[in-house]
Amino acid sequence: MAVIDAGMRSGNLSGENLRERRVTNTIPERGRPLISEPLAVRAALIAIAIGFISLFIVLPLVAVFGQAIAKGYSAYQAAITSSDALSAIRLTVIVAAISVILNLIFGLAAAWTITKFDFPGKTVLITFIDLPFSVSPVVAGLVFVLLFGAQGLLGPWLSDHNIKILFALPGIVLATVFVTFPFVARELIPLMQEQGTAEEEAALSLGASGFATFFRVTLPNIKWALLYGVLLCNARAMGEFGAVSVVSGHIRGQTNTMPLHIEILYNEYQFGAAFAVASLLALLALVTLVLKTLLERKLERKTP
Amino acid sequence: MNIDIVNLSKRFGSFTALSDVSLAIRSGELLALLGPSGSGKTTLLRIIAGLDWPDEGEVHFAGQNALNLSPAKRHVGFVFQHYALFRHMTVFENVAFGLRVRPRKERKSESDIKKRVMDLMDFVQIAWLADRYPSQLSGGQRQRVALARALAIEPNVLLLDEPFGALDAKVRKSLRRWLRTLHEELHVTSILVTHDQEEALEVANRVVVMGKGQIQQIGTPEEIYDNPSSPFVFDFIGESIKLPVTIDLEGIRLGSERLAKNGYALPPPGPAQLFVRPHDLAFGDPSAAPLQGNVQGLRRVGSIRYADVLVEFGGQDVIVEASIPPSQNLQVGERVGLTPRRYRVFDAADQAALPAA
């Protein structure tokens, strides 16, 4: 036994040596990676990845669209053209449009300030920009209730002056702006940091005004990253549920956004209608995904 | 245009970039600001351009106070260290930028702009690159684009920040010569910042040596190289050998030997430092020379041969790197005598001013 064992071991050893020599002494074939797993391992890894994606991403998407048209096309059309659904879609688009514009301006200003100037408290500002990522949206919504609600800090003053924030458009916009506010700034800061201020200084010394420098030099250099940030910001603004749910008041036909409308339909066992509206949001996600991929390709290329 | 720098000071936190610097730049000259990194030369350039502001002091353009002018109003052509070309614009648009952003009243017509840009690109020999983007250019080509862009605004003064720093040695040499001829043609007042002494001494009419935020010496390249006025300049410019000496009432003592005095004033009696260039050491008969030693090794750096000579004096061994004249033949182990022909002696206390090399 011992002899056979030793022989096997030495056989194994020489086999390993041979393989090693082959690896180190030959130039690897073009296109074949140097480090490569056995075929079975690779196949298993790919199968796991595909299985996981199918189960958690593709199947739910198919289910949404399947359920949406399960009762036929006319039912689908009726669900998304009902007056409540249309008002929810309108509100969602309005809220997203306002939030994206506000956060575009804010994100640009914040990124510009952080990357082109040095000032004390810069890291604190960067941390604050990230805050909405780490706070639960429900908490964010509650903060606005505490501020603007009837028992809130500013509530009495607001009702005296007949200004409605909670359970109305301003409240929904505020909550959405809060939740989506890191997207543009986060996308711009690393890029602008990498680009530095040399081109802006060159533009200034060539006689450009601050305004011209921004529109002719800074903006073209960041346009794709800016679009990317806006795209993500928009997707999140349209899909936001938690924060908006707290401040909206769920008034049908008035303060329901699409996600809220879907929830109500679902709770009332109108599954067909719920999935029909949900399919619109899913469609938005798919469009966002395609645009995001295209933009990423643009961003990777250095020359415009 | 004459530029006067008056008592300029600038601090960044606890770091003093410039302390009480005054300098008169004459119209049409090509001046080099030469110094090690951290000597304040780039800060001075940026203050002239209006990209930085001094804590104290004044800058005058042709006698007028320039500090309250924005960079745009100073008409300064700035060539940045890494060129800072606009990456999303073609070479043509880069050069045209300064002409396009002018206020509407002063702006030229599109056809005039086109003609001017084409002329400039011809002048710096990049016309064939007009439609390329900066990322598609070599370092030397980017340098030319940056220069054409700066010249497009017909600047009162051209400021160049380490213009050849990012180029390889061959390209650097040819561009240096080219910059010199270009300056002779244009006669625009130019200030060049560099840490490369060869560059400064070859290109400039006048060299300002800066160190520790102050001007150490101003002079023609010849004056700077042949007559360094301080240990700092002697150490920074060219190769130098430092030897500890003692000054007494009779003159210079090098170990146990005496050294003949030269024309320069000597520091007060006490320990001092003698500076000599490697090529200013004459080889000779060991018995007749103030320094004797054994040749330890021979080296060749480019066209110059060096001998490492182990000199012992005052119980101390010092290795002296002397350059060997072409006619001399030396063997390793040979005993030689060395005589400093041209040298300067500075007070040992001045050593405090020397940067750690």
Side-chain angles (χ1 to χ4, degrees), chain A residues 63-64 66-71 79 262-279:
Chain A
V64 166
Q67 286 284 334
I69 53 169
K71 295 213 172 115
I262 294 166
E263 196 216 12
I264 288 175
L265 290 174
Y266 185 82
N267 286 345
E268 291 172 349
Y269 302 103
Q270 301 184 39
F271 297 132
F275 278 107
V277 182
S279 73

Side-chain angles (χ1 to χ4, degrees), chain B residues 99-283:
Chain B
L99 302 173
R100 289 203 199 284
V101 296
R102 278 191 189 165
R104 202 172 291 278
K105 273 177 280 170
E106 300 165 32
R107 203 182 307 157
K108 295 177 179 170
S109 71
E110 185 59 32
S111 61
D112 283 350
I113 290 178
K114 192 158 185 210
K115 187 175 177 317
R116 168 115 180 101
V117 172
M118 286 319 249
D119 286 349
L120 267 167
M121 288 196 301
D122 272 334
F123 181 62
V124 299
Q125 300 146 24
I126 51 164
W128 57 290
L129 298 168
D131 295 327
R132 300 258 188 106
Y133 285 95
S135 60
Q136 298 166 313
L137 305 180
S138 73
Q141 290 165 345
R142 284 179 206 184
Q143 169 71 57
R144 285 165 191 260
V145 177
L147 201 62
R149 186 179 69 175
L151 289 173
I153 60 167
E154 291 165 63
N156 293 325
V157 54
L158 188 62
L159 306 177
L160 305 122
D161 187 7
E162 301 275 3
F164 313 118
L167 303 172
D168 59 69
K170 270 251 168 74
V171 181
R172 200 181 311 176
K173 269 217 154 131
S174 72
L175 271 179
R176 250 191 244 162
R177 215 161 301 137
W178 175 71
L179 180 70
R180 220 194 143 110
T181 43
L182 195 127
H183 180 255
E184 273 157 19
E185 278 177 56
L186 294 174
H187 270 292
V188 57
T189 314
S190 306
I191 307 174
L192 168 100
V193 156
T194 179
H195 66 275
D196 182 343
Q197 40 169 308
E198 244 183 76
E199 197 168 293
L201 298 178
E202 180 183 340
V203 175
N205 310 129
R206 227 157 45 112
V207 177
V208 176
V209 182
M210 296 194 63
K212 300 207 145 193
Q214 284 174 320
I215 291 176
Q216 302 287 335
Q217 190 174 358
I218 305 176
T220 63
E222 289 72 27
E223 284 165 0
I224 298 280
Y225 190 83
D226 293 335
N227 290 316
S229 65
S230 68
F232 179 92
V233 180
F234 216 123
D235 206 49
F236 184 67
I237 307 286
E239 296 279 309
S240 65
I241 297 161
K242 278 173 279 181
L243 294 170
V245 295
T246 318
I247 306 297
D248 56 24
L249 291 172
E250 287 155 69
I252 309 161
R253 225 177 60 218
L254 228 169
S256 54
E257 305 284 339
R258 294 225 153 266
L259 198 62
K261 271 194 256 186
N262 58 12
Y264 294 105
L266 291 177
Q273 199 105 23
L274 179 133
F275 285 76
V276 60
R277 303 265 186 228
H279 54 81
D280 283 334
L281 281 170
F283 286 85

Side-chain angles (χ1 to χ4, degrees), chain A residues 194-196 198-209 212-213 216-218 220-221 223 302-304, chain B residues 46 49 51 71-72 76 78 80 83-89 94 97-98 100-101 133 135-136 149-150 153:
Chain A
E194 183 205 314
Q195 292 181 343
E199 286 184 45
E200 279 82 9
E201 287 183 342
L204 288 176
S205 79
L206 287 167
S209 62
T213 302
R216 283 170 180 262
V217 176
T218 309
N221 275 344
K223 61 183 173 198
K302 282 286 173 192
T303 46
Chain B
R46 289 175 59 86
L51 299 173
V76 160
F78 203 113
F80 289 82
Y83 319 130
L85 298 178
F86 304 126
R87 69 193 86 193
H88 64 282
M89 293 182 202
N94 261 283
F97 185 88
R100 289 203 199 284
V101 296
Y133 285 95
S135 60
Q136 298 166 313
R149 186 179 69 175
I153 60 167

